[in-house]
Amino acid sequence: MKKFITITLLFHSAGLFACPNFYGKWQSSAKLTMEFNKKWSNIEPKAMAFLEQITGNSITEYTQDKIIITGNKKIITINGKQHEWPAINEVTTYKLLGCTKDSVVIEHNLYEQHFIDQLYFPNKDTFWVYTGNTWATNNAHAREYFVRITNSKSK
């Protein structure tokens, strides 16, 4: 009887604490990102204008062991001058550190920097990552939102 209760509890609690499915392709959402940041972040107006131009351009794909980030080249304006924002095509490996029912924590290196990112899922087709810094005195309290464009159920 103890064995039956233990196995039953394990199966039921596994469902309660399952990781969100983050595998697949995700589009950066300019709409959701800017709605949040304009209302809640501590970003200065010039930086906000810059962010508005570059957000929504990238697609991030999570596979079993890789992050693939792509984005198109585009023209942006900084201080009244046009500049080319380069295309993005980056691939890196990651390690899944843990999860809850509504978040995933991964560790990876990109552009010779070490990152630990927590992906927060308000629903199954949207996640956001914290993009503000925590080491400066003026914490930006910024987020970037992503919406699912393809789904992959397998790891």
Side-chain angles (χ1 to χ4, degrees), residues 115-134:
F115 293 91
I116 296 178
D117 290 334
Q118 187 163 5
L119 288 59
Y120 298 90
F121 291 81
N123 63 58
K124 68 182 183 67
D125 292 322
T126 307
F127 78 83
W128 61 268
V129 291
Y130 186 74
T131 59
N133 59 50
T134 56

Side-chain angles (χ1 to χ4, degrees), residues 41-54:
S41 74
N42 296 321
I43 299 175
E44 294 180 15
K46 283 186 178 182
M48 187 71 77
F50 172 74
L51 183 63
E52 201 160 12
Q53 294 180 78
I54 63 168

Side-chain angles (χ1 to χ4, degrees), residues 25-150:
K25 290 185 180 180
W26 299 82
Q27 174 77 49
S28 171
S29 172
K31 179 183 182 297
L32 295 174
T33 299
M34 296 315 297
E35 281 176 1
F36 176 87
N37 289 329
K38 284 180 179 180
K39 185 173 182 178
W40 298 105
S41 74
N42 296 321
I43 299 175
E44 294 180 15
K46 283 186 178 182
M48 187 71 77
F50 172 74
L51 183 63
E52 201 160 12
Q53 294 180 78
I54 63 168
T55 305
N57 189 45
S58 68
I59 293 175
T60 302
E61 179 178 5
Y62 294 94
T63 68
Q64 181 178 358
D65 60 351
K66 289 185 177 55
I67 304 170
I68 304 160
I69 305 168
T70 57
N72 296 324
K73 176 174 66 173
K74 64 189 291 187
I75 302 299
I76 62 171
T77 304
I78 302 173
N79 294 327
K81 294 183 182 178
Q82 290 191 335
H83 300 272
E84 185 177 289
W85 185 258
I88 306 165
N89 190 8
E90 300 292 337
V91 178
T92 187
T93 58
Y94 73 90
K95 179 181 176 184
L96 178 64
L97 297 179
C99 65
T100 66
K101 66 179 180 54
D102 54 8
S103 72
V104 172
V105 179
I106 59 173
E107 178 179 37
H108 61 94
N109 292 307
L110 188 63
Y111 306 120
E112 299 179 15
Q113 290 189 5
H114 179 254
F115 293 91
I116 296 178
D117 290 334
Q118 187 163 5
L119 288 59
Y120 298 90
F121 291 81
N123 63 58
K124 68 182 183 67
D125 292 322
T126 307
F127 78 83
W128 61 268
V129 291
Y130 186 74
T131 59
N133 59 50
T134 56
W135 58 87
T137 55
N138 183 14
N139 188 340
H141 186 62
R143 296 179 181 180
E144 184 172 6
Y145 281 81
F146 293 82
V147 293
R148 186 186 303 275
I149 55 176
T150 65

